[in-house]
């Protein structure tokens, strides 16, 4: 799968006193994209026993997903406007008990990148509060959402 490009409609109160979108708001935009990515139905994968239209969210069941780390690199100021901005999001790493979701807050065509970031997620048992190993099925589902999108070189 390629990355998911999620349109985000800015709200007037997303801006700060300087008229640009507040840095904390960008994390909310990333959250919206993260939720959409993990709820995106994927194509069937008979090799891994994944039925049609399954989502990672469904594979978690009663367990929870928890953000254990987030980072953001702010690249360019983003000013309030009526047109949506886009969050390109993808799975960039799948480990034993965690996975990483990467983001690029940008114009739809990628011509301007306003922020890049990532979130490290673990699946947690709600009864014990402890992280759990990803199952083979969950790893296979996440692998279908992986992409090797290159981040901007402007650091």
């Amino acid at each position: 799968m390629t990355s998911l490009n999620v349109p985000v409609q800015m709200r007037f109160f997303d801006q700060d006193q300087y008229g640009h979108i507040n840095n904390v708001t960008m994390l909310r935009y990333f959250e919206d994209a993260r939720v959409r990515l993990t709820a995106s139905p994927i194509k069937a994968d008979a090799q891994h026993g994944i039925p049609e239209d399954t989502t990672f969210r469904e594979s978690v069941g009663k367990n929870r997903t928890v953000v254990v780390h987030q980072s953001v690199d702010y690249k360019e100021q983003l000013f309030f406007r009526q047109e949506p901005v886009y969050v390109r999001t993808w799975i960039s790493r799948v480990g034993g008990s965690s996975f990483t979701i990467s983001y690029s807050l940008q114009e739809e065509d990628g011509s301007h990148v306003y922020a890049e970031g990532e979130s490290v997620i673990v699946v947690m048992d709600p009864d014990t509060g402890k992280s759990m190993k990803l199952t083979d099925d969950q790893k296979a589902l996440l692998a279908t959402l992986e992409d090797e999108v290159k981040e901007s070189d402007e650091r």
Side-chain angles (χ1 to χ4, degrees):
M1 175 179 180
T2 59
S3 59
L4 182 65
N5 213 15
V6 177
V8 176
Q9 184 60 53
M10 292 181 213
R11 298 160 297 189
F12 184 74
F13 62 84
D14 289 347
Q15 64 185 323
D16 62 18
Q17 66 186 9
Y18 303 111
H20 67 263
I21 301 304
N22 185 277
N23 60 317
V24 174
T25 299
M26 292 184 183
L27 285 169
R28 290 187 192 117
Y29 294 169
F30 290 170
E31 176 186 45
D32 186 43
R34 179 174 65 246
V35 169
R36 290 188 196 194
L37 181 69
T38 59
S40 294
I42 63 163
K43 294 180 182 176
D45 181 349
Q47 180 181 356
H48 294 102
I50 299 171
E52 188 74 27
D53 294 333
T54 300
T55 70
F56 179 75
R57 169 65 25 222
E58 290 169 342
S59 79
V60 171
K62 71 174 184 75
N63 299 316
R64 299 181 181 144
T65 54
V66 180
V67 175
V68 296
H69 172 79
Q70 288 192 115
S71 63
V72 181
D73 290 321
Y74 301 98
K75 303 293 185 180
E76 189 176 324
Q77 292 185 73
L78 175 61
F79 293 93
F80 176 77
R81 64 185 193 207
Q82 295 296 319
E83 302 79 30
V85 67
Y86 289 79
V87 179
R88 190 172 200 187
T89 186
W90 64 97
I91 302 294
S92 56
R93 187 192 66 78
V94 177
S97 60
S98 68
F99 60 97
T100 302
I101 299 178
S102 291
Y103 317 94
S104 178
L105 181 63
Q106 62 185 36
E107 294 299 329
E108 184 175 19
D109 64 2
S111 60
H112 287 279
V113 175
Y114 302 102
E116 293 173 334
E118 66 179 25
S119 299
V120 177
I121 313 291
V122 298
V123 177
M124 184 186 78
D125 182 313
D127 297 325
T128 66
K130 296 187 181 205
S131 65
M132 305 170 58
K133 293 279 186 195
L134 294 167
T135 66
D136 289 341
D137 288 348
Q138 289 169 338
K139 287 179 182 181
L141 277 164
L142 289 168
T144 66
L145 301 171
E146 280 187 298
D147 204 347
E148 293 184 17
V149 174
K150 302 292 185 218
E151 294 185 0
S152 72
D153 294 330
E154 301 170 17
R155 294 267 177 206

